[in-house]
Amino acid sequence: MFHYLFRKIVLIFLISISFVFTSAQVYSGIDMEIRNESTADKPNIVDLVVLVKNETSSKFEGNIYIDVPKGFRSVSGNQIKLELNVGEKRFLPVKILVSNDAGYGDEEIVFSCKSSANELIVKKKLIYRVQENNTLRLNAENPLIYMNENNINDSVEIKARVTNMGNKRQDITVVFKIPETAQGTIFVERKGSVDVLKDTVFSFKFIPAHILKSTQMTINIAGFREPEKEIFGNTSVSVQNISSTQRYRDMQPLMGYSSYAKNSITAGYRRIGDNADMYQLIGSGGFNLPAGYIFISGNIYTMNNQDDPIVNNTYISYHRGNSAVTLGNVNRMLEMPLFGRGAEYSLTSADKDKKVEIGFIDQSFNLIEKTPFLQNGYGLYAKGTIGAQNTSRSISGVYVFRNDPYEKADHNLLGTDVQYLFSKDWRLNAKLYSGMSFYEADRSTKPSLGVESQYSGVISKINLNGSYFYSTDYYPGNRRGVLQIQQSFSKNIFKEHYWYANILVSDFSPKYFSYDYNTRSKNLRLDTGINFAKKGDFGWGIGYQYQEETSNNYNSFLGIFNSFEQNQLKAQRLTEYTNWTSPDKKHSSILGIEAGLVTYPDMEKPRLQMKLSGNYGYKAFSFSYIYQYGAYFLSEYAFSKVMNKTEDYKKLSLSAFYNKTLFKNKINVISGVSYTDDILYGKAPSAFFNLKYLGKQYGLYLNSSWYKYSIGSLHTNMLTIEAGVTLNLPTNTLDPGKKGSIKAFVYYDNNDNNRYDEGDEAADGYVIMINTISFKSNKEGNIEYKQIPYGKYRLKQVIQQGWYYDDMDIEMDSHRRSLEIPLHRNGTVRGKITYDFDAKTAQEFNPKLGGIIINIFQGEKLLQRISTDDNGEFLAFLRTGEYRISLNESTLPVNTYCEQTYTDMESIAGKITVLNPFVIKVKEKNIRVKKFGN
């Protein structure tokens, strides 16, 4: 109650201050005053009282004239006769109606008092502020469009109706999104304006023949209000292929267990340098089987100077139910990776939570390798996972075996991987692996260990992220003989400023029986700094870096013959960066500066070290640069010594890139040039240009690259050109389950006994809907739905001229399911709307016959929603039964109403029921009279 009173008081207050009075009085002694008596419960009615005083010495006779703008109407008329005796004052009530078509903004209402000789005595103006109403409504004229093999090459017209229900003429854009055309997904725009309380139809035509080789397509329609591009509504139109025979296609494969196969084959040619030619064929795709599906991937290439082609990343996999078998190239990125030709098998539980995988791999890169089987080593693995689709809590166990002929060893690795989400702030990922290696050379056994953990969390608003790894020297996994610690801290300080700190500690010392050089590298790095709050378009930050690198890997480059001696590089640097983005977001730039002191292995005094780096971007163009003075790593320092350079290490790198899509995303252009100048590569320019055309049925690409470098007496100038064409085959929805076909016979059940017998006849051209897929029966009355997964399907009722069939559930549990669909006669309902009003007393309105919505209910269930045509008539086909036909008053014109908005009726098979018209009446002018004395 309090909230209602508060809103009422506020509204009255706003109404009162929305009037700004101005006056122009030219006749002394006659005064006019306007008083506002509007109430909050009638926001579209302005109640005014005009007070007129005669302070002259004679009687006054004249008129009050009221001039109102469009959309306003004075109920008492635009002229009020006035007679005032000497000293008399008169209160005149004035009621002004504000209709929905009143223009928004400040509108001027003028009151003029004139004498009987039409002489202006006094004039008053008031400004009434009409609040903006920009309500728009978007509807599809025909949300469902049928096509079949007879009209597949005909154009389809998509129509969208926009209704302006506000008080302002509006500029709009309607966007039609058409999926997977010959040019990919395209967008069609239609621009226009819609007047107040009017509607406009936006349409376009296209030929969907290449699309409707499948089942159906959905065209999404969105309306945008200009110029802000604010979306005001969206809808969709479904274009369905109603051929009598169709194949199953999962329209939302990600919602179930199906997978989506984009089948394609690509043939390419590559010219490398002056004398190397390579020919390549790549393809992938899948197809369904009665039980499960097969997926194939292939990659084969050959060069002009090799005898045998290379076949890799080529395999065939068969999926059935929750299991899958793969033969061919198998690549597994496990803790101890396995690559080569082999086989693998996986089994997943029905709830997708548990998964088991096993595989055997012969480690030969080429699938058609001529070397004997197992000669390059082999491996096998087994992995089990609980929580396979749970990213917050899962655990897996892995066993990997690998025979390594180069080390002459058999490696075994057993471990577990745990992911655990403690809360929204704390997450942990931990791995523990134990290895056992058997070496043939000295018949020794080497146990090993690998431990890794990663975590993230928050303590006292400090963000923590850590990664820790340790493995023993003979560990056979990905990282052998490694100790690595990474820890980062970050926190918002002083409100919008951001502090960070990163620490990296690593120790690398792997050992091999087949390689007796003992390498050792240690690194320590600290980064800390503050990123300050952005000021306008600029942001900046400062920081400090400490770096320490120790290694024996580069002793020979430095003239040190003791392989165990450690060389060290230390550096301390101050850093600063600045970034800028233009107000329109088209330009952006980053500038970074690092400067400090570095101590090299064979120098006692520190030397200057610095790096200048940056980037500038404008739309599709970007440019970056790096200038470095002084070696940042031992490798840079050592290689510069090999080149007998006495001056400090220097490096200059420049690059520019351009990335642009053209012609509605059909063509993509990527190009770039770069230039590097340092001790390692000398002066090395390079460039590349890539052009790609993306189409529905095929694609083309053209790639080229060039680079040149010169180091001492070594000179290289290499040009590579590559071209290819991709053929896009029909896509497929792959389902691992069993599949079958539904074959239905549709017939007219003339004797209404639900059995095809004498007197009945096959239904030619009748539309049947199963789930969301529509079929049109052939001349024999048959339809067929092929390769549909086992499960439950719904035969949905589609009532057509004179006939209907009953809804039913279809249980698909066999390879072939046959059924009969009897058609029964339905009834026809015909109705219309009419107008009844008195032109003298009726308020202003825009007569409208078409687009009035009629709702059809059976009980509480809404069955259909139809609209009247341009003659105000509507037609519906209903099965036998009782219905309520209801008029939707929200679709009536402004200032109209219908006293009886519904009618109950009974539909009788084979008969036409004509309803009494819905009578639409127009609101009458409401005149309120007030009488006042002196």
Side-chain angles (χ1 to χ4, degrees):
M1 184 66 182
F2 173 79
H3 293 293
Y4 172 77
L5 292 175
F6 178 78
R7 289 197 301 267
K8 188 172 182 179
I9 292 171
V10 171
L11 185 57
I12 293 175
F13 175 75
L14 292 176
I15 291 175
S16 65
I17 66 174
S18 67
F19 297 93
V20 180
F21 298 95
T22 62
S23 65
Q25 186 168 339
V26 297
Y27 189 91
S28 177
I30 300 296
D31 190 22
M32 182 169 61
E33 178 185 346
I34 302 175
R35 296 180 180 179
N36 176 25
E37 294 186 355
S38 301
T39 58
D41 57 341
K42 297 179 179 180
N44 292 329
I45 298 177
V46 183
D47 277 329
L48 303 173
V49 174
V50 179
L51 171 60
V52 186
K53 301 178 183 178
N54 183 5
E55 297 179 349
T56 66
S57 59
S58 60
K59 182 179 179 181
F60 175 79
E61 295 183 0
N63 294 282
I64 302 292
Y65 294 94
I66 305 172
D67 186 14
V68 296
K70 181 181 178 181
F72 291 68
R73 183 175 9 177
S74 175
V75 176
S76 54
N78 295 331
Q79 179 180 350
I80 303 175
K81 187 173 180 58
L82 181 65
E83 292 184 1
L84 291 176
N85 295 321
V86 176
E88 183 183 3
K89 59 182 178 180
R90 182 73 58 84
F91 294 86
L92 304 174
V94 175
K95 183 189 295 292
I96 296 178
L97 300 180
V98 183
S99 62
N100 290 339
D101 61 343
Y104 88 99
D106 293 341
E107 295 287 356
E108 187 177 84
I109 303 175
V110 180
F111 293 84
S112 302
C113 179
K114 296 183 178 181
S115 65
S116 56
N118 205 30
E119 179 186 9
L120 178 64
I121 306 302
V122 62
K123 184 177 182 181
K124 293 282 186 176
K125 298 180 182 179
L126 66 86
I127 305 299
Y128 179 79
R129 178 158 294 174
V130 181
Q131 298 300 318
E132 179 180 352
N133 179 6
N134 63 354
T135 304
L136 295 167
R137 183 171 60 195
L138 174 68
N139 292 307
E141 285 285 272
N142 190 354
L144 183 61
I145 298 175
Y146 290 135
M147 298 194 72
N148 56 34
E149 60 273 9
N150 296 324
N151 62 354
I152 198 75
N153 293 316
D154 294 343
S155 62
V156 172
E157 185 174 16
I158 307 297
K159 294 183 178 181
R161 181 183 294 270
V162 179
T163 303
N164 186 351
M165 305 172 67
N167 56 11
K168 170 188 176 184
R169 178 185 175 91
Q170 299 187 62
D171 296 325
I172 64 168
T173 299
V174 177
V175 178
F176 302 86
K177 178 184 177 183
I178 313 170
E180 297 186 9
T181 64
Q183 296 80 33
T185 299
I186 63 173
F187 296 86
V188 176
E189 291 188 357
R190 292 290 185 266
K191 296 181 180 293
S193 297
V194 186
D195 286 327
V196 176
L197 300 179
K198 301 288 186 180
D199 52 16
T200 301
V201 176
F202 298 82
S203 66
F204 80 100
K205 293 182 179 181
F206 73 106
I207 299 177
H210 53 279
I211 303 172
L212 290 178
K213 293 176 182 178
S214 57
T215 303
Q216 64 178 337
M217 62 173 293
T218 300
I219 298 172
N220 294 308
I221 308 172
F224 295 89
R225 184 180 289 109
E226 298 290 352
E228 299 86 1
K229 292 294 184 183
E230 175 191 2
I231 187 169
F232 65 81
N234 57 73
T235 185
S236 63
V237 173
S238 178
V239 182
Q240 295 199 4
N241 179 355
I242 55 172
S243 300
S244 59
T245 300
Q246 297 187 51
R247 292 182 180 273
Y248 174 80
R249 184 183 181 188
D250 189 356
M251 302 307 295
Q252 293 180 307
L254 297 179
M255 300 297 291
Y257 299 146
S258 302
S259 60
Y260 184 73
K262 190 172 183 179
N263 306 328
S264 65
I265 297 176
T266 300
Y269 165 77
R270 183 181 303 169
R271 175 74 173 181
I272 307 171
D274 297 328
N275 54 7
D277 299 293
M278 190 181 83
Y279 306 88
Q280 186 175 27
L281 189 64
I282 306 173
S284 65
F287 56 90
N288 281 303
L289 297 175
Y293 70 86
I294 286 179
F295 187 84
I296 301 174
S297 176
N299 177 33
I300 180 172
Y301 65 90
T302 184
M303 302 187 71
N304 57 351
N305 56 359
Q306 71 181 42
D307 296 330
D308 300 317
I310 301 296
V311 180
N312 66 344
N313 195 30
T314 299
Y315 61 88
I316 179 172
S317 61
Y318 172 62
H319 300 252
R320 178 174 179 177
N322 297 319
S323 62
V325 178
T326 300
L327 299 174
N329 289 117
V330 178
N331 303 325
R332 299 294 297 181
M333 282 300 298
L334 303 168
E335 185 63 25
M336 187 164 61
L338 299 174
F339 302 94
R341 52 192 180 186
E344 64 178 359
Y345 172 79
S346 66
L347 177 64
T348 307
S349 61
D351 59 1
K352 304 295 179 180
D353 184 65
K354 305 174 185 64
K355 188 175 183 179
V356 176
E357 303 166 87
I358 58 174
F360 177 85
I361 298 174
D362 169 36
Q363 297 197 139
S364 295
F365 175 75
N366 191 354
L367 189 62
I368 57 174
E369 183 75 50
K370 291 184 177 180
T371 57
F373 196 59
L374 308 182
Q375 178 174 310
N376 295 327
Y378 59 93
L380 58 88
Y381 73 92
K383 181 179 181 180
T385 304
I386 299 176
Q389 290 190 330
N390 189 344
T391 58
S392 59
R393 296 182 181 180
S394 66
I395 182 172
S396 62
V398 182
Y399 168 74
V400 186
F401 169 83
R402 186 177 70 189
N403 171 262
D404 190 342
Y406 303 101
E407 277 200 280
K408 297 182 179 179
D410 291 331
H411 301 295
N412 297 269
L413 204 60
L414 180 65
T416 184
D417 184 351
V418 178
Q419 296 186 64
Y420 199 86
L421 181 67
F422 294 94
S423 65
K424 66 177 183 178
D425 295 327
W426 285 91
R427 176 186 292 273
L428 173 68
N429 185 341
K431 296 180 180 180
L432 174 62
Y433 283 88
S434 175
M436 187 68 69
S437 301
F438 301 96
Y439 292 90
E440 181 182 337
D442 59 357
R443 304 194 178 206
S444 62
T445 300
K446 288 289 184 181
S448 58
L449 178 69
V451 181
E452 181 178 10
S453 68
Q454 298 173 337
Y455 83 95
S456 62
V458 179
I459 297 179
S460 300
K461 296 185 179 181
I462 299 177
N463 300 309
L464 304 174
N465 285 275
S467 177
Y468 307 92
F469 180 81
Y470 168 76
S471 65
T472 56
D473 293 343
Y474 289 94
Y475 180 67
N478 289 320
R479 293 164 288 181
R480 177 177 295 203
V482 174
L483 170 64
Q484 182 171 292
I485 299 173
Q486 291 178 279
Q487 180 63 54
S488 65
F489 308 86
S490 63
K491 186 180 189 301
N492 285 327
I493 58 175
F494 308 118
K495 294 184 179 179
E496 298 181 357
H497 306 304
Y498 182 80
W499 167 79
Y500 67 91
N502 302 311
I503 301 173
L504 169 64
V505 178
S506 67
D507 189 338
F508 179 62
S509 58
K511 291 183 179 179
Y512 304 86
F513 276 98
S514 58
Y515 180 59
D516 58 2
Y517 184 81
N518 294 316
T519 181
R520 186 72 180 266
S521 295
K522 296 180 181 179
N523 284 278
L524 172 63
R525 184 182 177 97
L526 169 66
D527 289 273
T528 185
I530 297 177
N531 296 327
F532 295 100
K534 196 170 184 179
K535 296 295 184 181
D537 300 323
F538 289 88
W540 70 290
I542 58 174
Y544 166 77
Q545 294 178 354
Y546 175 79
Q547 177 185 347
E548 183 178 308
E549 181 183 2
T550 305
S551 178
N552 64 347
N553 288 335
Y554 310 103
N555 289 3
S556 59
F557 299 113
L558 299 173
I560 301 172
F561 300 100
N562 181 358
S563 62
F564 292 96
E565 183 176 340
Q566 300 285 309
N567 296 286
Q568 190 177 70
L569 179 149
K570 288 185 179 180
Q572 298 186 71
R573 297 181 287 268
L574 295 178
T575 65
E576 187 273 340
Y577 84 90
T578 302
N579 63 51
W580 168 80
T581 304
S582 64
D584 59 5
K585 309 300 181 184
K586 293 181 179 180
H587 300 266
S588 63
S589 179
I590 300 175
L591 172 64
I593 301 175
E594 301 175 7
L597 298 175
V598 58
T599 302
Y600 296 120
D602 54 355
M603 295 184 183
E604 294 182 0
K605 293 184 179 181
R607 303 291 295 271
L608 175 65
Q609 183 185 68
M610 67 166 291
K611 180 185 290 186
L612 178 67
S613 61
N615 175 272
Y616 167 75
Y618 173 70
K619 293 185 178 180
F621 172 79
S622 65
F623 171 76
S624 60
Y625 54 90
I626 297 175
Y627 174 75
Q628 179 182 326
Y629 179 84
Y632 268 54
F633 303 98
L634 278 174
S635 58
E636 293 178 341
Y637 182 74
F639 288 134
S640 65
K641 286 293 184 180
V642 171
M643 304 303 293
N644 297 319
K645 299 290 184 179
T646 57
E647 68 269 15
D648 289 325
Y649 176 84
K650 298 176 184 177
K651 179 179 181 179
L652 174 65
S653 177
L654 305 172
S655 60
F657 299 95
Y658 180 81
N659 187 344
K660 183 70 173 179
T661 57
L662 306 170
F663 303 106
K664 297 182 179 180
N665 297 324
K666 297 176 187 177
I667 295 179
N668 179 235
V669 178
I670 304 176
S671 182
V673 294
S674 63
Y675 174 80
T676 301
D677 184 5
D678 70 351
I679 295 174
L680 301 182
Y681 299 100
K683 295 177 173 59
S686 64
F688 74 92
F689 177 82
N690 297 339
L691 180 66
K692 182 182 291 186
Y693 168 78
L694 302 174
K696 170 63 179 177
Q697 297 177 329
Y698 66 92
L700 303 172
Y701 66 89
L702 174 64
N703 301 329
S704 62
S705 63
W706 168 80
Y707 68 91
K708 178 181 180 181
Y709 66 86
S710 177
I711 304 177
S713 60
L714 179 61
H715 303 276
T716 299
N717 190 345
M718 181 72 70
L719 174 65
T720 300
I721 297 177
E722 180 182 11
V725 58
T726 298
L727 177 63
N728 297 321
L729 303 175
T731 57
N732 212 346
T733 300
L734 305 178
D735 192 285
K738 293 182 178 180
K739 305 171 194 67
S741 298
I742 294 177
K743 189 171 184 179
F745 173 60
V746 188
Y747 65 95
Y748 295 108
D749 189 14
N750 291 316
N751 52 18
D752 208 27
N753 62 356
N754 289 319
R755 186 172 62 249
Y756 184 70
D757 50 20
E758 186 177 355
D760 297 337
E761 56 182 326
D764 176 15
Y766 197 91
V767 176
I768 300 292
M769 179 175 286
I770 301 177
N771 282 0
T772 60
I773 308 302
S774 300
F775 303 79
K776 190 174 185 180
S777 59
N778 59 20
K779 293 181 179 180
E780 291 75 29
N782 294 321
I783 65 167
E784 188 171 8
Y785 199 6
K786 295 183 175 181
Q787 291 190 351
I788 61 174
Y790 281 20
K792 183 175 289 187
Y793 296 84
R794 182 72 175 173
L795 181 65
K796 295 183 178 180
Q797 186 181 93
V798 178
I799 298 177
Q800 292 164 66
Q801 299 177 0
W803 299 89
Y804 73 92
Y805 58 86
D806 293 324
D807 290 355
M808 66 176 294
D809 290 324
I810 304 173
E811 189 68 38
M812 190 65 197
D813 55 5
S814 60
H815 180 61
R816 181 169 292 274
R817 177 81 157 83
S818 299
L819 66 142
E820 292 184 348
I821 303 177
L823 302 179
H824 306 289
R825 290 186 181 275
N826 59 35
T828 302
V829 177
R830 188 185 300 275
K832 65 178 180 179
I833 63 169
T834 61
Y835 284 88
D836 180 19
F837 63 96
D838 186 345
K840 295 181 179 180
T841 60
Q843 296 185 20
E844 290 185 7
F845 76 104
N846 294 316
K848 176 182 177 182
L849 293 174
I852 305 299
I853 301 299
I854 305 296
N855 295 324
I856 302 177
F857 294 88
Q858 188 168 46
E860 300 296 326
K861 183 180 179 181
L862 175 63
L863 297 182
Q864 293 186 48
R865 180 179 283 113
I866 57 178
S867 60
T868 58
D869 60 21
D870 292 339
N871 296 319
E873 299 178 349
F874 62 90
L875 186 69
F877 302 99
L878 303 174
R879 57 182 296 182
T880 302
E882 296 181 351
Y883 299 87
R884 171 164 290 186
I885 314 299
S886 175
L887 182 143
N888 189 337
E889 283 191 291
S890 66
T891 60
L892 292 178
V894 177
N895 294 330
T896 64
Y897 66 96
C898 181
E899 293 180 345
Q900 183 64 34
T901 59
Y902 68 89
T903 181
D904 294 325
M905 54 83 60
E906 181 180 3
S907 175
I908 301 175
K911 292 187 177 182
I912 300 176
T913 302
V914 179
L915 304 178
N916 291 327
F918 287 104
V919 179
I920 300 176
K921 296 187 176 182
V922 182
K923 296 178 181 179
E924 295 184 347
K925 300 174 182 179
N926 186 15
I927 302 175
R928 186 175 62 184
V929 178
K930 289 186 179 180
K931 295 181 178 179
F932 299 91
N934 291 335

